[in-house]
Amino acid sequence: MSDGAIDLKAEARAKAYAMPLEDINVTDLELWRTDTMWPYFERLRKEDPVHLHPAEHHEDGAFWSVTKYNDIMAVDTNHEVFSSEPAITIFDPKEDFTLPMFIAMDPPKHDVQRKTVSPIVSPANLHVLEPLIRGRIQKTLDELPIGEPFDWVDRVSIELTTQMLATLFDFPWEDRRMLTRWSDVATAGPESGLFSSTDPEIVDAERKMELFGCVDYFTRLWNERINAPPKGDLISMLAHGEATRNMDRMEYLGNLILLIVGGNDTTRNSMTGSVLALNQNPDQYRKLRDNPALIPSMVSETIRWQTPLAHMRRTATRDFELGGKTIKKGDKVIMWYASGNRDEEVIDNPNAYIIDRERPRNHLSFGFGIHRCVGNRLAELQLRILWEEILPRFPEIKVLDEPRRVPSAFVKGYEYMEVVIPSKN
């Protein structure tokens, strides 16, 4: 970690404990861009774990922050009181651009739509996919430059996850980077630099235009698959599934965005996070090199440490008491997975990156209850194979500077991270 990053973290800690509790705003994008939100969450866990943020903290109004592991579990596993409708992020749906998707639905519709696509990540299908994933990872790693700096995010993390998405959708290979673009556009804010302006109205218009382009492209693929025998790709599953074949255009787009973002952002940012975490903890990197059998445990620890999606939202269907606070019907409740994964009362030494933890899968990154991440085993598989192929090839991958992080309180990820693979001479 650079001296500048250390200074930033010390300054953030002092500020987090000096300000009045009601002034803490964990949605401040600068905290996420600089990775300095941790002391604010630490203070909330200690002093006000179910904390009401006033309306002035966010353009879409007041919300409750739930920051402790067990409280998050209580919300995540009680879908009758804490509904996923109408949205899973702090932002409310735009009236003229609502995207229904099964992660933002309650039973029974959620259950039947999820069941339609879940066979693609069944143990049997993952067994079939494993040699394909391994071959692609080998090719990608073998083409990396030695002794020359390059962007790990673009050359490895984005490339591998986009290849996987293209396979799951049976999407035209030559256009696969469009999937990355649509994923980024769907989740990015005005500060992302992805749009021609930071004006929210222009951003919304440009996002809408690009995502309509996404659904137009996928509608052509749908029309091809609906007129062919059912196959094992996601579009064919949706087109032939009893619960999904009559979706309208916006619901189709909503479920596409869910599957694209779910398959892209989480794995991609954990792939980058694993290299960063091992660089920041050289003792753990040595431990891994000395004992590659720790790879599965390291993968789980990385997913906890990274927490690729920082939060999920629920909306209260009735008044409910949590942590001594009365949440009113209609209130917005934010489960901060990133904070729960650093809860000192549940996870020993939670701020440390320890690849041989006793219970490394004891984390919140995939959620719990009916909305637990459908592709969690696929994400773990890709990360495991990546490191099984890295270790015999490269004695080290060096991070050259602080990565550039995504300015988002939802996608906890990386835009750019320069690395170099030293030559063996």
Side-chain angles (χ1 to χ4, degrees), residues 239-252:
H240 291 276
E242 192 175 335
T244 51
R245 64 189 177 205
N246 295 317
M247 290 186 295
D248 64 22
R249 172 181 162 90
M250 295 305 282
E251 191 169 340
Y252 183 34

